Amino acid sequence: MARAARAVLVVVLCLFLTLLILLGLRIHDSLSELRGEANDNLHWNLSQLEVDLVRLGEEMRVDALQPDASLKELRKRYDLFYSRAQNAIGGKGYSAPGLNDLPQQFAALLNAYIARETPLIDGSDATLRENLPAMADRLAELRDKLRKTSIAMIDALAKQGDEKRDAFSNLVRQMALATGGTILLLGALLGVVLWLNRVAAREQALTARVSERLAATIDTALDAIIVADHEGRIIQYNPSAEKTFGYSKADAMGRDLGTLIVPPGLRAAHTAGMTRMRQSGQFKVVNAGRIQITALHRSGREFPVELAISSADGDQGRIFISFLRDISDRLAAEAELTSTRDKAVAAGRAKTEFVAVMSHEMRTPLNGVIASLEIASGMATEPELRRFIGLAQDSAQLLLRHANDVLDISRLESNGLQLTVEDFDINAHVGGLVETFRPMCDEKRIDLRYTMTGERPILQGDPFRLGQIVRNFLSNAIKFTRQGGVTIEAEVSESRSQTRVIEIRVTDTGPGIPEADQARIFEDFVMLDPSFGRTGEGAGLGLAICRRLAQAMGGEIGVESTPGEGSCFWLRIPFALGRKPVVVAGTEDRAPMPAMDVLVVEDNATNRAVLGELLRRLGQRVTFAFDGEKGAAAATAHRYDVILMDVSMPVMDGLTATGLIRQSGASKNSRIVAVTAHSMPEDLVRIRKAGMDDMLMKPISSGNLIRVLSGTALINAKPVDGLIDDDRIAELKMAIGADGLARLAGKFLGDGSQLIARLLSDEALEAPAETLGAICHEAAGLASVLGAAKLRSLCARAEELCRSGRAGDAREILRRELGVVWQETATSVKAMLP
């Protein structure tokens, strides 16, 4: 900006100087013109001509009165008049501009008089004396006419002179203004120069500071930095280079780089490269990025280094900056990593075999669950119960399919995948899949819509494989959509005699996919954002498996996407028409209990869905809030009969929200129930102190929820002090049977042993309070599933200590008591196993 201002000032100054020169030339021309004018001479001629006419007239009157007088003097006077008249007629002053036709009139009068009188003057004396009276009269008449013409000419010349003087004055004023402007511009330019000098001084100081920081950076760099001139002599050598090569800076400065750190076997190549560079300016290693070579230590030991050389122009020619890093440890680690990788590959094969065996082992209990649900479905009479049994059947089938998924990958690779053939309702099947994703969409606060247009046939094929593709499409769409929504559309795109081609489209409002990547995403292990901070999760296999599944079923998949607008994943698969109708559970509502307005304040989408479904089954009117702040606002604006308030939530916790509700608002006196996984005495005190009326423990059962809604307090229930909660065990036996309880106990022992071992490890016990508290929370949740009361109480207490800033006490309790409590709990649980 300073350079631009200076340039503008210089240009304007040049224009002003040019203007001064032009004005000076015009003033010079005006002065020359004024000096060259003959106006004064014209005035003198006219005056003299007037005098000559007067004298000639006087001489004529005298001679007319003296008949004997000589006429010689008269003729002399006439000759003088004649000569003056000729000078006046041909004079320069009479041709001055601005006189118009006055000089012509003047000349015409003189010429006419001379032409008439000259013959008489030149004639005889007798003739001249005879005409003297008449000549005197004509002379007097000429004088009057000439006087009028002369006065007109003098007036014109005077006016013209005034105009020229005014023009000259304007030129002088313009010259003065231009001179003043030039002086001002010169002052401004001087100010700019002074300012630029100060800026240059600041920049010089800044450059000096930058140089100091650069030198400090070089001196503190972890890599060895060596700077050499074009002859290969070392001119800068940082402390890391001293540690790397064993030479001090004093020993290295000025030494030849090749003889100092280049091994003997590479010195010839180094010398040849330096010679080639000096002669032709060609580089091979310089500015070529990182390379790996061998360097020489002062002790004579050769070791591998990573080298990068760049060049720059120095004060005395080109310089070379070398960055070197000792990679001995890294190469050793890579060798060890390669060995470890080989071992991991072998272990991976063993793991794959183990997972395959386990997938077979998991099928037996899952088949028992599915069979039991099938029997229960036939025995159920209430439509609502049949609907939930149907959902449980779908979930059990899904779990079984996931167990088989491990084997499907290998089968897909070896083309050994076997597709099932069964009848299914395409609309109900896809609609059910969509509903399983609704809690996820509610949590992200995006819309989820499903429509099927046209024919809704009963099809024959593999619904799970179809669902596997649709679930993958939905999962990806929801995962990458932050606002807007996801739409699922299904239709029969082609009808044949006994076949229908089903087209399913999943459209989102996410970031979209570039056209260059739209084909790659269906390849194995392809992720468009493979960084550690990517938004989505996964290994890049989902869409590749979907493509192979679609091909195995005779269909195809694809994507249409515009970056910034969203994507549409589509699937087209032909299915045969089914041979029997699919039974769909009824949707009639059961008779509700007395309805109340219930506000559920819960940040977890799954918990909201469970609580909402249980409350709706009980005939309650349910409103949801996603955090304490929104819950407090909703309770203040509208009166609710019961408020189910989660205790731990983001933005605002349940205790704070309860305090706000109790202060004022429509729900100030409503019943507020804490929903929490904690039942420690100090938790009960905090809940009471915050203004809550009751507490509902997680996991939530229908019986406890009914008691809460009916007003029967649970908060003062006697805490369980034993190792195992017998009531919880009895509830589990009724829900999943003895076999199911045994399987749950076995899983509890397996997962619990790993989690307790992790919690007692040095890594966990020495972790920050927040991390240790999270592990304790996970252990407390695992204990509450099976009713391991003492273990849950211990882990919950440790979590509370971490939250209250007493992590040291929590670590002491865990070291002292956790191992013993776990052993006691494990012994009691093993007793339940058959």
Side-chain angles (χ1 to χ4, degrees):
M1 182 177 179
R3 293 179 181 271
R6 182 173 59 184
V8 170
L9 287 176
V10 170
V11 171
V12 174
L13 180 61
C14 292
L15 292 177
F16 268 87
L17 291 176
T18 303
L19 179 62
L20 285 175
I21 293 173
L22 293 176
L23 290 173
L25 292 175
R26 289 184 60 185
I27 290 174
H28 178 269
D29 293 341
S30 297
L31 290 174
S32 299
E33 183 179 356
L34 289 174
R35 284 195 298 268
E37 288 183 353
N39 293 340
D40 294 340
N41 187 35
L42 175 63
H43 294 164
W44 185 83
N45 285 335
L46 291 175
S47 298
Q48 292 299 318
L49 183 63
E50 177 72 15
V51 170
D52 289 342
L53 287 174
V54 170
R55 289 177 178 178
L56 180 60
E58 292 295 329
E59 188 67 30
M60 285 182 179
R61 291 187 186 92
V62 171
D63 291 341
L65 296 175
Q66 298 177 3
D68 297 332
S70 173
L71 297 177
K72 183 177 179 179
E73 184 65 21
L74 175 63
R75 286 187 174 91
K76 181 179 178 181
R77 293 290 181 187
Y78 184 84
D79 289 340
L80 290 174
F81 160 73
Y82 182 86
S83 176
R84 189 77 64 186
Q86 293 300 320
N87 289 335
I89 293 171
K92 181 178 179 181
Y94 295 91
S95 62
L99 296 178
N100 299 323
D101 59 345
L102 292 176
Q104 288 79 8
Q105 295 176 12
F106 190 85
L109 291 173
L110 288 177
N111 286 330
Y113 181 82
I114 292 173
R116 185 171 182 175
E117 302 297 334
T118 299
L120 296 174
I121 293 297
D122 293 338
S124 62
D125 290 345
T127 303
L128 179 60
R129 285 183 184 278
E130 183 182 355
N131 289 285
L132 280 177
M135 290 177 65
D137 294 337
R138 286 195 297 272
L139 182 63
E141 181 181 358
L142 175 63
R143 285 179 57 195
D144 292 338
K145 292 181 179 180
L146 288 180
R147 184 178 296 110
K148 293 179 181 179
T149 304
S150 297
I151 293 172
M153 291 175 63
I154 291 172
D155 289 340
L157 288 176
K159 183 177 180 180
Q160 184 180 12
D162 292 339
E163 291 176 354
K164 289 183 178 181
R165 283 189 292 274
D166 290 341
F168 184 76
S169 298
N170 288 334
L171 286 176
V172 172
R173 283 193 294 271
Q174 292 175 6
M175 187 71 173
L177 291 175
T179 302
T182 303
I183 294 173
L184 290 177
L185 284 174
L186 287 173
L189 187 59
L190 178 61
V192 170
V193 170
L194 294 176
W195 177 63
L196 289 176
N197 287 336
R198 287 195 295 269
V199 171
R202 288 197 299 268
E203 291 181 349
Q204 184 178 4
L206 178 61
T207 301
R209 289 195 297 271
V210 170
S211 299
E212 293 175 358
R213 287 197 294 266
L214 180 59
T217 301
I218 293 175
D219 290 340
T220 57
L222 297 179
D223 291 340
I225 300 177
I226 302 177
V227 182
D229 61 13
H230 66 286
E231 296 292 338
R233 293 186 298 268
I234 297 175
I235 58 177
Q236 193 164 357
Y237 191 83
N238 74 337
S240 293
E242 294 179 332
K243 297 178 182 179
T244 302
F245 297 101
Y247 294 96
S248 66
K249 184 175 183 179
D251 294 335
M253 293 296 289
R255 296 274 299 276
D256 181 69
L257 183 67
T259 59
L260 192 70
I261 65 172
V262 178
L266 299 177
R267 287 175 184 170
H270 171 76
T271 303
M274 293 294 293
T275 303
R276 180 180 61 255
M277 180 274 299
R278 286 192 291 268
Q279 293 177 353
S280 62
Q282 296 180 354
F283 304 117
K284 286 189 177 181
V285 178
V286 178
N287 300 324
R290 297 181 180 182
I291 62 172
Q292 182 176 323
I293 63 171
T294 302
L296 181 66
H297 191 268
R298 183 173 187 174
S299 63
R301 174 179 58 88
E302 296 185 6
F303 60 98
V305 296
E306 190 175 62
L307 168 68
I309 305 178
S310 61
S311 63
D313 292 329
D315 296 336
Q316 298 180 355
R318 187 175 293 273
I319 60 173
F320 301 94
I321 305 99
S322 303
F323 299 84
L324 303 100
R325 178 180 301 172
D326 187 349
I327 58 174
S328 302
D329 294 339
R330 192 183 77 184
L331 294 181
E334 289 177 356
E336 183 178 357
L337 183 61
T338 302
S339 175
T340 305
R341 181 202 60 190
D342 295 339
K343 295 178 182 178
V345 170
R349 295 194 190 99
K351 180 180 178 181
T352 301
E353 295 175 1
F354 170 75
V355 171
V357 172
M358 287 302 299
S359 66
H360 286 285
E361 293 296 329
M362 291 174 64
R363 294 175 183 177
T364 301
L366 283 175
N367 285 329
V369 172
I370 294 171
S372 300
L373 290 172
E374 186 70 27
I375 295 172
S377 176
M379 296 172 61
T381 57
E382 295 183 8
E384 188 72 7
L385 180 59
R386 293 181 62 192
R387 183 168 75 88
F388 278 101
I389 291 177
L391 291 175
Q393 287 177 305
D394 291 340
S395 298
Q397 289 287 351
L398 178 60
L399 184 58
L400 181 60
R401 297 295 187 180
H402 282 318
N404 292 332
D405 230 9
V406 178
L407 299 175
D408 286 345
I409 297 176
S410 300
R411 290 171 180 171
L412 285 169
E413 292 291 343
S414 60
N415 297 321
L417 177 68
Q418 297 296 323
L419 298 174
T420 62
V421 178
E422 56 184 271
D423 293 343
F424 65 98
D425 185 331
I426 180 63
N427 182 47
H429 182 62
V430 177
L433 291 173
V434 172
E435 288 304 315
T436 62
F437 286 90
R438 193 167 297 282
M440 186 185 303
C441 292
D442 291 341
E443 184 175 2
K444 296 188 69 173
R445 302 179 186 179
I446 60 177
D447 294 332
L448 180 64
R449 300 179 182 178
Y450 165 66
T451 58
M452 182 169 185
T453 58
E455 183 184 2
R456 302 183 180 186
I458 303 301
L459 302 176
Q460 192 176 80
D462 192 334
F464 174 75
R465 298 304 180 187
L466 173 66
Q468 189 173 348
I469 299 174
V470 175
R471 277 192 298 272
N472 188 280
F473 284 0
L474 279 171
S475 177
N476 287 340
I478 295 171
K479 183 189 306 180
F480 292 105
T481 300
R482 296 186 176 180
Q483 59 183 2
V486 177
T487 302
I488 304 92
E489 301 171 293
E491 65 176 347
V492 177
S493 63
E494 185 178 350
S495 297
R496 304 167 190 169
S497 59
Q498 294 297 319
T499 305
R500 298 291 185 270
V501 178
I502 299 298
E503 180 172 336
I504 299 175
R505 297 177 296 275
V506 178
T507 306
D508 62 65
T509 57
I513 303 171
E515 184 177 358
D517 295 323
Q518 291 179 12
R520 292 197 313 117
I521 59 175
F522 295 102
E523 299 175 1
D524 293 341
F525 302 105
V526 171
M527 295 177 291
L528 298 187
D529 184 10
S531 64
F532 288 111
R534 62 181 184 269
T535 303
E537 299 176 353
L541 277 174
L543 291 175
I545 293 176
C546 290
R547 175 177 58 85
R548 293 177 183 175
L549 287 174
Q551 292 173 350
M553 291 188 286
E556 59 179 347
I557 62 175
V559 63
E560 299 173 1
S561 182
T562 301
E565 298 182 6
S567 305
C568 176
F569 283 85
W570 54 265
L571 163 70
R572 299 187 190 98
I573 296 180
F575 289 100
L577 287 175
R579 290 170 292 184
K580 61 179 180 179
V582 177
V583 179
V584 181
T587 58
E588 298 179 0
D589 293 333
R590 58 178 294 178
M593 64 182 295
M596 293 184 291
D597 287 328
V598 181
L599 173 63
V600 177
V601 185
E602 171 64 67
D603 66 303
N604 185 274
T606 302
N607 290 341
R608 284 199 306 271
V610 172
L611 273 172
E613 192 59 41
L614 290 175
L615 289 167
R616 290 189 189 98
R617 287 182 58 190
L618 296 174
Q620 309 305 306
R621 296 183 294 272
V622 185
T623 302
F624 293 105
F626 299 98
D627 55 56
E629 184 178 28
K630 292 182 175 60
T636 301
H638 178 79
R639 183 188 180 281
Y640 293 95
D641 298 302
V642 179
I643 301 174
L644 300 182
M645 178 76 70
D646 187 19
V647 175
S648 300
M649 289 182 292
V651 182
M652 180 184 291
D653 61 72
L655 302 179
T656 305
T658 299
L660 293 177
I661 295 172
R662 291 302 188 202
Q663 289 176 6
S664 62
S667 301
K668 177 180 180 181
N669 299 317
S670 298
R671 196 156 181 266
I672 303 178
V673 178
V675 181
T676 178
H678 300 281
S679 63
M680 299 292 294
E682 53 267 31
D683 293 321
L684 303 182
V685 173
R686 290 169 56 227
I687 287 171
R688 280 293 195 191
K689 187 176 180 180
M692 295 183 173
D693 302 294
D694 207 344
M695 182 174 69
L696 187 60
M697 288 290 298
K698 298 178 182 178
I700 300 168
S701 65
S702 298
N704 286 339
L705 185 58
I706 292 172
R707 285 193 289 272
V708 164
L709 293 176
S710 64
T712 303
L714 299 174
I715 199 168
N716 293 322
K718 182 180 179 180
V720 179
D721 297 327
L723 285 172
I724 304 296
D725 183 356
D726 295 334
D727 292 337
R728 179 62 175 168
I729 296 299
E731 185 179 1
L732 288 173
K733 280 185 179 180
M734 292 180 61
I736 62 177
D739 292 339
L741 178 60
R743 288 191 295 272
L744 181 61
K747 181 172 178 56
F748 171 81
L749 291 173
D751 294 344
S753 61
Q754 295 180 8
L755 185 56
I756 297 303
R758 176 187 170 197
L759 188 53
L760 290 175
S761 65
D762 292 338
E763 181 180 0
L765 291 175
E766 295 175 1
E770 183 178 356
T771 303
L772 180 59
I775 302 175
C776 291
H777 182 81
E778 183 180 356
L782 177 64
S784 65
V785 172
L786 197 63
K790 190 171 183 179
L791 178 63
R792 187 197 63 78
S793 176
L794 174 62
C795 294
R797 188 163 78 250
E799 178 189 0
E800 178 62 26
L801 289 173
C802 290
R803 288 189 305 176
S804 61
R806 298 167 58 191
D809 294 341
R811 295 185 181 98
E812 182 63 27
I813 290 174
L814 291 173
R815 289 191 180 99
R816 186 178 63 248
E817 301 181 20
L818 182 59
V820 176
V821 173
W822 169 248
Q823 290 299 328
E824 294 174 350
T825 301
T827 301
S828 298
V829 172
K830 288 177 183 178
M832 295 187 296
L833 297 176

